[in-house]
Amino acid sequence: QVQLVESGGGLVQAGGSLRLSCAASGRTFSRYSMGWFRQAPGKEREFVVAINWSGGATNYADSVKGRFTISRDNAKNTVYLQMNSLKLEDTAVYYCAAGNLITKRYAAYWGQGTQVTVSS
């Protein structure tokens, strides 16, 4: 079992930056792929990015490529999402996810979410 707790969300102006963190419990963190998803009001949850257990492989949604960067620190059981050049359409609740496999629609474990609001 893995418990995930996100932090770092907030209100930011368009063009600004935020860094989200996701702290994981459990000694098996380093074995899992990690990812971020988001859900905007009235929309389905969408995949943002995933990173493999070692950090050596990442997969980004086209909508965030070149603006968002995922990283992980296995010694700290933490995964990060650096978000730059934020746009209004990035406003959503961002969820951290973990699992042996993360697809664009599936992950085994989920955090409670953190709100990111981008204003004009």
mmCIF file of all heavy atoms in Angstrom, residues 12 14 37 55 60:
data_model
loop_
_atom_site.group_PDB
_atom_site.id
_atom_site.type_symbol
_atom_site.label_atom_id
_atom_site.label_comp_id
_atom_site.label_asym_id
_atom_site.label_seq_id
_atom_site.Cartn_x
_atom_site.Cartn_y
_atom_site.Cartn_z
ATOM 1 N N VAL A 12 -1.666 31.331 -9.281
ATOM 2 C CA VAL A 12 -0.524 31.932 -9.970
ATOM 3 C C VAL A 12 -1.025 32.626 -11.225
ATOM 4 O O VAL A 12 -2.027 32.208 -11.821
ATOM 5 C CB VAL A 12 0.528 30.847 -10.315
ATOM 6 C CG1 VAL A 12 -0.036 29.814 -11.278
ATOM 7 C CG2 VAL A 12 1.805 31.462 -10.850
ATOM 8 N N ALA A 14 -0.920 33.809 -15.155
ATOM 9 C CA ALA A 14 -0.498 33.199 -16.408
ATOM 10 C C ALA A 14 0.937 33.594 -16.716
ATOM 11 O O ALA A 14 1.324 34.755 -16.539
ATOM 12 C CB ALA A 14 -1.424 33.627 -17.540
ATOM 13 N N PHE A 37 -1.712 13.518 -12.881
ATOM 14 C CA PHE A 37 -2.918 13.691 -13.681
ATOM 15 C C PHE A 37 -3.575 14.989 -13.229
ATOM 16 O O PHE A 37 -3.231 15.533 -12.178
ATOM 17 C CB PHE A 37 -3.889 12.524 -13.469
ATOM 18 C CG PHE A 37 -3.415 11.210 -14.014
ATOM 19 C CD1 PHE A 37 -2.368 10.514 -13.428
ATOM 20 C CD2 PHE A 37 -4.024 10.649 -15.132
ATOM 21 C CE1 PHE A 37 -1.928 9.291 -13.933
ATOM 22 C CE2 PHE A 37 -3.603 9.429 -15.640
ATOM 23 C CZ PHE A 37 -2.557 8.758 -15.035
ATOM 24 N N GLY A 55 13.713 7.179 -12.819
ATOM 25 C CA GLY A 55 13.773 8.544 -13.320
ATOM 26 C C GLY A 55 14.378 8.646 -14.694
ATOM 27 O O GLY A 55 14.525 9.737 -15.241
ATOM 28 N N TYR A 60 5.343 12.658 -21.422
ATOM 29 C CA TYR A 60 4.563 13.865 -21.198
ATOM 30 C C TYR A 60 3.371 13.943 -22.143
ATOM 31 O O TYR A 60 3.463 13.559 -23.319
ATOM 32 C CB TYR A 60 5.421 15.108 -21.432
ATOM 33 C CG TYR A 60 6.489 15.344 -20.396
ATOM 34 C CD1 TYR A 60 7.746 14.777 -20.527
ATOM 35 C CD2 TYR A 60 6.243 16.143 -19.294
ATOM 36 C CE1 TYR A 60 8.733 14.989 -19.575
ATOM 37 C CE2 TYR A 60 7.223 16.375 -18.339
ATOM 38 C CZ TYR A 60 8.458 15.797 -18.485
ATOM 39 O OH TYR A 60 9.426 16.021 -17.533
#
